[in-house]
Amino acid sequence: MADYHTTVGEQRSVMLANDVLLELNTQTRINRRVFDDGGQGIELLAGEIEVRTQAPFKMRAGTGWIRSDGGRFVVRATGPEVLVTCVGGNLSLDHRGQSMRLDSDQQLSYGEREHSSPRVVDTTVVTAWRQRLLIFEGETLAHVIDELNRYRTGRILLMNRDLGQRRVQARIRLDQLPDVAALIRDAYGAQVTELPGGVVLVS
């Protein structure tokens, strides 16, 4: 059991001591931690959070340690890699004995053993979920469906591999998710079959 968690489609705010605000996205689990050096922070077990801090703050996600003396950043752990995005201020990441710095509008990812180099990203896309909006800019339909499945009960199943490689430019509000099957059908001419329990077949 996690100290703080969200269910499918839920988002919530958690205020910690020392002016640290956590915004939890859908299907997120975090624990409060006291680290070996006596410092306090959190561990992201799964999901996605935005952190706003005005004081030194430390957290763990996967095999990495993230530290910030003040700023705003997003950490996502929804697969084999952890994605870290600095939205404001700066932060440091310690991973497998290497220390890296991220400044505003920079992002990197890391897995069990390896990590990427920092790259510049559009942080309005990364943080769009805070406005209950999902922005896709050239991702495959397969990726989009995986992302939509994080926010809805049931499951969208893509049955056509070629269709899944179509590139998507879209802005989808979370309140549109009940109608997402029709959106996919109308946009891509796909055959859509809706089944009980929120299951949708796309072919």
Side-chain angles (χ1 to χ4, degrees):
M1 178 66 71
D3 291 330
Y4 305 104
H5 70 278
T6 54
T7 58
V8 176
E10 180 187 7
Q11 296 176 349
R12 65 176 292 198
S13 301
V14 175
M15 178 65 77
L16 302 180
N18 300 323
D19 295 322
V20 177
L21 176 63
L22 307 179
E23 300 287 354
L24 282 65
N25 200 2
T26 178
Q27 299 190 67
T28 294
R29 296 182 294 118
I30 60 175
N31 277 338
R32 301 190 72 159
R33 289 284 303 270
V34 177
F35 299 110
D36 293 341
D37 61 3
Q40 297 188 31
I42 64 168
E43 180 176 7
L44 176 63
L45 304 175
E48 184 174 23
I49 62 170
E50 180 187 274
V51 179
R52 295 174 184 245
T53 178
Q54 300 180 31
F57 178 79
K58 179 169 64 173
M59 66 171 286
R60 180 176 182 175
T63 53
W65 297 84
I66 300 157
R67 294 175 173 82
S68 176
D69 289 331
R72 177 186 173 199
F73 57 94
V74 175
V75 184
R76 173 170 170 157
T78 57
E81 292 190 332
V82 176
L83 194 64
V84 182
T85 307
C86 184
V87 181
N90 59 73
L91 60 86
S92 63
L93 169 68
D94 295 325
H95 181 253
R96 296 298 185 187
Q98 297 188 55
S99 183
M100 295 153 283
R101 174 186 168 116
L102 286 183
D103 294 312
S104 295
D105 302 326
Q106 287 189 320
Q107 179 186 82
L108 63 73
S109 59
Y110 61 88
E112 180 69 22
R113 298 188 178 279
E114 298 182 345
H115 59 81
S116 71
S117 299
R119 54 189 175 270
V120 176
V121 295
D122 183 352
T123 56
T124 60
V125 174
V126 177
T127 60
W129 60 269
R130 293 279 292 107
Q131 285 72 51
R132 300 191 63 78
L133 177 69
L134 303 178
I135 301 176
F136 302 103
E137 296 186 334
E139 288 87 354
T140 64
L141 181 59
H143 170 84
V144 171
I145 287 176
D146 285 343
E147 189 69 5
L148 295 176
N149 280 331
R150 295 177 58 214
Y151 292 87
R152 62 186 300 278
T153 56
R155 191 158 187 84
I156 304 172
L157 299 175
L158 182 62
M159 314 302 290
N160 185 323
R161 180 176 296 180
D162 291 339
L163 180 63
Q165 296 307 305
R166 296 276 297 274
R167 296 290 171 174
V168 176
Q169 295 281 344
R171 292 171 175 253
I172 301 175
R173 301 189 312 273
L174 294 187
D175 61 12
Q176 292 178 292
L177 290 185
D179 303 316
V180 71
L183 294 175
I184 294 173
R185 181 195 63 215
D186 295 344
Y188 300 100
Q191 181 177 342
V192 173
T193 304
E194 298 189 56
L195 301 175
V199 175
V200 178
L201 305 181
V202 178
S203 59

